């Protein structure tokens, strides 16, 4: 529960606007709102702006996408007893290979203006805060976390049952990659390693969601392919994965991420091998039981070890699951949100 009564009241007068049903919207707005509603507060979630909202509300939360209309709105409420909070979950410009690169690059001037004019900006990581701190003096880090109903949805998702549903045997070992289609080139960095592994191990399979790694010599019958799923169903489907892969380029865009893919593999009790870059390096330093690899040789060595050792693989998945439950869910005390809402209440006094 929030200790600051004024800060708590702000939640009852708050509107959170989501642009879509993407994982970003869930992590940044939907999961926090579910948590606060379970605590007895009444923040509102909306997709379309209605003029009446600005008669009733005091705090207005927007995320990710910024254009001229949002900038105009920030100016319109600047002298009112209201606040606009802008949430940014990734670096302000994606890499050139991102399918929406040209769009985001063209909108970057508006994005920077919105960040500058917002009452407060929220981000998921300290690194992202450091990168944009010159644009706004009021930036708060609100880490990505799950709300508790995510666990309820996963109760019956046993790995052996999910494998059976996918047509796999219990002795199969499933590698998984849940990256976005525009990140397939990062998975391609493991092409030689994976091709060698699939030639060596007959019981090895590869699970993907959406984009398919056609550049690899993986037999079609060894690929477990899922269509894009609602987030709750996606979390359940991850249960087929024994070893979650997180290859990544060492770019500023990736360095500013939260590493939430490792949380998701942890929900599924999957062992994880991630690229040895921030944020995964920081997660490991903070106790997350994940493997880090940098070179092709390191990736292959760690993969072979986990593929061969069933007990080690299961133990690592279990330990990561326990770590995620302890560190990646909203709990009674949410210090970051308390500090942020206290600052917001001071601005609105």
């Amino acid at each position: 529960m929030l200790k600051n009564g004024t800060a708590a009241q702000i939640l009852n007068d708050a509107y959170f606007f989501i642009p879509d049903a993407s994982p970003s919207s869930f992590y940044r707005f939907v999961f926090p709102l579910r948590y606060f509603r379970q605590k007895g507060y009444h923040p509102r979630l909306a997709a379309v702006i209605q003029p009446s909202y600005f008669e009733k509300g005091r705090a207005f939360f927007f995320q990710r996408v910024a254009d001229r209309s949002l900038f105009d709105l920030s100016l319109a409420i600047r002298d009112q007893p209201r606040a606009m909070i802008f949430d940014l979950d990734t670096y302000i410009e994606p890499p050139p290979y991102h399918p929406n690169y040209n769009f985001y690059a063209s909108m970057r001037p508006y994005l920077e203006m919105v960040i500058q004019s917002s009452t407060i900006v929220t981000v998921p990581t300290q690194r992202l805060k450091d990168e944009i701190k010159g644009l706004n003096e009021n930036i708060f880090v609100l880490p990505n976390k799950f709300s508790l109903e995510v666990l309820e949805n996963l109760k019956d998702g046993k790995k052996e049952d999910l494998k059976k549903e996918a047509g796999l045997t219990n002795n199969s070992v499933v590698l998984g990659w849940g990256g976005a289609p525009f990140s397939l080139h990062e998975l391609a960095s493991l092409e030689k390693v994976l091709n060698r592994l699939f030639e060596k191990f007959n019981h090895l399979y590869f699970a993907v969601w959406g984009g398919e790694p056609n550049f690899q010599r993986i037999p079609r019958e060894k690929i477990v392919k899922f269509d894009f799923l609602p987030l709750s169903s996606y979390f359940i489907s991850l249960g087929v994965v024994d070893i979650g892969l997180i290859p990544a380029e060492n770019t500023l865009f990736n360095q500013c991420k939260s590493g939430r893919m490792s949380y998701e593999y942890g929900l599924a009790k999957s062992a994880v091998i991630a690229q040895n870059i921030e944020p995964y390096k920081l997660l490991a330093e903070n106790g997350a039981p994940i493997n880090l690899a940098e070179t092709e040789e390191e990736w292959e060595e760690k993969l072979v070890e986990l593929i061969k050792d069933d007990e080690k693989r299961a133990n690592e998945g279990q330990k990561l699951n326990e770590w995620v439950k302890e560190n990646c869910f909203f709990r009674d005390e949410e210090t970051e949100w308390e500090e942020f809402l206290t600052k917001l209440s001071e601005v609105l006094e």
Side-chain angles (χ1 to χ4, degrees):
M1 297 292 287
L2 295 169
K3 299 174 184 176
N4 186 319
T6 304
Q9 180 56 41
I10 287 175
L11 285 172
N12 295 328
D13 298 325
Y15 287 82
F16 290 72
F17 296 93
I18 58 172
D20 50 38
S22 66
S24 174
S25 294
F26 273 80
Y27 279 101
R28 303 308 296 158
F29 284 176
V30 177
F31 290 153
L33 263 64
R34 287 178 179 173
Y35 162 74
F36 285 121
R37 285 173 178 170
Q38 289 170 353
K39 294 298 181 182
Y41 307 113
H42 305 286
R44 297 166 177 83
L45 190 67
V48 179
I49 298 175
Q50 298 289 348
S52 60
Y53 296 162
F54 295 92
E55 298 173 5
K56 303 173 184 177
R58 299 177 67 203
F60 306 94
F61 292 72
F62 297 87
Q63 70 161 169
R64 201 159 23 107
V65 179
D67 56 18
R68 178 57 188 267
S69 63
L70 194 56
F71 174 64
D72 290 342
L73 176 61
S74 70
L75 297 181
I77 66 174
R78 174 174 291 179
D79 297 324
Q80 300 181 27
R82 292 173 174 80
M84 190 177 91
I85 300 88
F86 186 73
D87 181 80
L88 186 69
D89 74 325
T90 58
Y91 185 61
I92 54 180
E93 187 172 293
Y97 52 77
H98 194 287
N100 294 322
Y101 170 78
N102 291 331
F103 169 77
Y104 282 109
S106 67
M107 300 301 288
R108 178 168 175 168
Y110 291 117
L111 178 58
E112 291 186 351
M113 287 192 295
V114 167
I115 292 172
Q116 289 171 331
S117 61
S118 294
T119 311
I120 297 177
V121 176
T122 57
V123 295
T125 68
Q126 182 64 42
R127 179 60 185 270
L128 183 51
K129 175 181 177 178
D130 292 341
E131 292 298 330
I132 65 168
K133 63 184 179 182
L135 297 175
N136 194 307
E137 62 180 12
N138 292 318
I139 302 178
F140 283 79
V141 177
L142 301 178
N144 284 332
K145 293 185 179 183
F146 301 108
S147 50
L148 288 176
E149 90 287 338
V150 171
L151 282 181
E152 293 295 319
N153 293 334
L154 293 173
K155 271 187 175 180
D156 299 325
K158 295 182 180 179
K159 198 172 291 290
E160 55 268 26
D161 293 337
L162 292 167
K163 283 188 175 183
K164 185 177 180 180
E165 288 178 15
L168 304 174
T169 59
N170 278 341
N171 71 332
S172 61
V173 176
V174 182
L175 308 182
W177 181 75
F182 63 79
S183 295
L184 275 168
H185 72 287
E186 294 180 319
L187 179 62
S189 67
L190 299 179
E191 177 181 3
K192 294 179 181 178
V193 171
L194 294 176
N195 286 336
R196 286 194 292 268
L197 293 178
F198 275 90
E199 290 175 0
K200 185 175 183 179
F201 298 103
N202 291 327
H203 63 310
L204 198 61
Y205 292 81
F206 194 86
V208 290
W209 286 258
E212 190 170 329
N214 295 320
F215 51 80
Q216 294 173 337
R217 297 194 304 274
I218 300 176
R220 301 273 321 165
E221 65 271 15
K222 295 290 184 177
I223 295 178
V224 183
K225 190 174 186 301
F226 294 90
D227 293 326
F228 287 111
L229 298 168
L231 199 59
S232 58
S233 299
Y234 168 67
F235 289 158
I236 294 173
S237 68
L238 279 173
V240 303
V241 175
D242 294 295
I243 307 171
L245 308 180
I246 313 178
E249 285 186 314
N250 192 15
T251 62
L252 181 58
F253 186 76
N254 282 338
Q255 291 163 6
C256 290
K257 290 181 178 180
S258 69
R260 71 189 188 203
M261 191 181 293
S262 58
Y263 309 166
E264 295 167 358
Y265 287 136
L267 285 178
K269 298 183 180 180
S270 307
V272 166
I273 306 177
Q275 200 73 35
N276 188 21
I277 65 169
E278 191 176 350
Y280 306 105
K281 188 185 300 185
L282 287 178
L283 286 173
E285 290 173 357
N286 290 324
I290 60 176
N291 299 280
L292 299 177
E294 192 162 351
T295 65
E296 187 175 296
E297 292 73 21
E298 288 177 346
W299 271 97
E300 185 161 1
E301 178 184 341
K302 292 178 185 294
L303 277 166
V304 168
E305 182 179 13
L306 287 174
I307 291 169
K308 287 184 174 180
D309 195 331
D310 296 346
E311 184 176 354
K312 178 179 175 63
R313 188 174 64 245
N315 285 342
E316 288 194 8
Q318 181 62 40
K319 289 179 180 178
L320 181 57
N321 180 262
E322 292 169 1
W323 186 88
V324 168
K325 288 179 179 178
E326 182 67 27
N327 295 277
C328 304
F329 279 82
F330 284 101
R331 300 300 181 189
D332 286 340
E333 298 293 329
E334 287 297 327
T335 304
E336 295 93 349
W337 274 91
E338 182 85 45
E339 293 175 353
F340 158 63
L341 289 170
T342 296
K343 176 64 177 180
L344 183 55
S345 67
E346 294 170 357
V347 171
L348 289 170
E349 284 182 354

